Amino acid sequence: MSEYVLQVEHLSKSFEKGKAVLQDVSFSVKKGEVVVIVGPSGCGKSTFLRCLNMLEPIDEGNIYLNGTVINRKDKNVSKIREKIGMVFQSYDLFPHMTIWKNILLAPKLVQKRDKQETQAQAEQLLKRVGLWEKKDAFPRQLSGGQKQRVAIVRALLMNPEVLLLDEITASLDPEMVREVLQVVLELAKEGRTMVIVTHEMEFARAVADRVIFMDQGAIVEEEKPGEFFRYPKTERAKKFLNTFHFEALEI
Ligand code: ADP
Ligand code: MG
């Protein structure tokens, strides 16, 4: 078995002919590793995560999950997506279902798992993120931060091999950002394999084993966080980092 959970070789993608959104991207994530992707808006971060999760077809290259190529037409996409969990900026909870129903839907319908076992795990996860008492509430009765924690629980309940997080705090009020990032930090400490796109630079520095700086659809730098944030090598990365104020997030 491959030591890499995810591996990408020479991935290229364009939405319009001749305009590459991702250009020859190669990258890998080991088991237990946390990779943070940063870069200016529009540089292709979301598209990249969506390609990893088979939500977007790719033009060139290969994507491997545990050593097996997954970007082939004959592959069972929903089976692959179970193993590659994703959380988005918008929580995408079903408004007419309780939190409990929302999180149990996919394990029941897609995975057909044992009900008692899934419910026990769901209870444990909701308790962990401090939302057990909200299990019978509807999404509209929750704050943004609470909804995003539910979305994380929903993804975890599928027991994914790797979790992709795409700017999951971007639409939250500042006071809710921390409660969500705290959950992600705990997952990292537990050894969860994650690929995280974020604009929270202090968080990136705290959580990342490796930072990838993307610009114009390509990986420009790839470094340990201490190195990248202190000594960015390229002008592009320096310029990008200069747009942030490094306030201590105290997390
Ligand atoms: P980021 O997440 O880094 O802000 P995106 O991956 O969302 O960047 O977008 C990268 C580029 O691809 C942008 O120029 C964006 O306009 C374009 N793009 C993203 N999704 C689509 C789409 N479905 N159709 C056409 N162009 C798209
Ligand atoms: Mg994006």
Side-chain angles (χ1 to χ4, degrees):
M1 200 182 226
S2 166
E3 69 172 311
Y4 297 108
V5 176
L6 269 181
Q7 239 178 321
V8 174
E9 286 175 351
H10 306 294
L11 186 159
S12 293
K13 164 152 192 88
S14 54
F15 290 104
E16 291 168 58
K17 247 196 154 69
K19 272 178 72 180
V21 169
L22 296 169
Q23 305 180 53
D24 195 19
V25 176
S26 293
F27 139 108
S28 53
V29 191
K30 285 185 193 159
K31 196 168 170 55
E33 200 179 18
V34 177
V35 178
V36 171
I37 303 177
V38 300
S41 184
C43 75
K45 305 179 297 294
S46 294
T47 305
F48 183 57
L49 290 195
R50 291 169 59 81
C51 287
L52 293 180
N53 199 23
M54 307 277 104
L55 288 168
E56 291 285 355
I58 65 174
D59 300 333
E60 279 172 56
N62 279 314
I63 305 172
Y64 302 84
L65 177 68
N66 290 324
T68 305
V69 72
I70 57 173
N71 53 302
R72 294 281 152 80
K73 288 217 166 56
D74 59 337
K75 297 285 174 184
N76 181 337
V77 172
S78 77
K79 274 269 166 261
I80 292 164
R81 284 207 197 113
E82 281 175 42
K83 301 202 171 105
I84 307 179
M86 189 151 176
V87 183
F88 302 88
Q89 180 177 334
S90 53
Y91 337 101
D92 299 319
L93 300 174
F94 290 110
H96 59 288
M97 286 184 190
T98 63
I99 298 311
W100 188 243
K101 287 244 163 77
N102 260 286
I103 62 174
L104 287 170
L105 190 66
K108 191 169 142 194
L109 286 184
V110 182
Q111 293 185 317
K112 307 204 172 10
R113 276 169 53 190
D114 177 74
K115 195 170 159 188
Q116 265 178 339
E117 180 214 313
T118 317
Q119 289 189 346
Q121 193 188 358
E123 177 176 342
Q124 183 211 354
L125 286 169
L126 279 181
K127 282 180 175 162
R128 258 196 67 183
V129 302
L131 291 174
W132 174 239
E133 71 281 11
K134 297 284 184 193
K135 75 181 194 357
D136 297 319
F138 287 89
R140 66 172 181 279
Q141 297 170 307
L142 269 56
S143 71
Q146 290 173 330
K147 279 189 269 205
Q148 200 54 295
R149 283 183 279 154
V150 170
I152 293 171
V153 165
R154 181 181 51 183
L156 290 174
L157 201 51
M158 302 292 280
N159 293 321
E161 303 260 346
V162 52
L163 205 52
L164 314 177
L165 308 180
D166 190 4
E167 298 206 38
I168 63 168
T169 60
S171 60
L172 299 180
D173 290 334
E175 67 269 26
M176 288 164 195
V177 168
R178 190 184 300 181
E179 70 189 35
V180 172
L181 296 185
Q182 193 61 48
V183 169
V184 181
L185 273 173
E186 280 167 25
L187 295 176
K189 273 190 208 138
E190 261 173 26
R192 286 262 169 199
T193 313
M194 293 189 278
V195 182
I196 303 175
V197 170
T198 183
H199 273 103
E200 299 286 341
M201 292 300 138
E202 286 293 342
F203 165 68
R205 185 147 65 180
V207 80
D209 293 311
R210 190 149 45 93
V211 178
I212 285 178
F213 172 64
M214 270 181 82
D215 195 20
Q216 297 178 3
I219 294 179
V220 178
E221 295 198 26
E222 190 168 352
E223 272 297 351
K224 295 255 176 231
E227 190 72 13
F228 175 74
F229 288 106
R230 249 179 300 172
Y231 310 112
K233 290 190 183 61
T234 58
E235 282 309 311
R236 284 196 271 177
K238 281 180 200 161
K239 198 170 148 215
F240 172 74
L241 288 172
N242 277 338
T243 61
F244 292 92
H245 300 284
F246 279 82
E247 290 160 28
L249 246 181
E250 289 173 46
I251 47 177

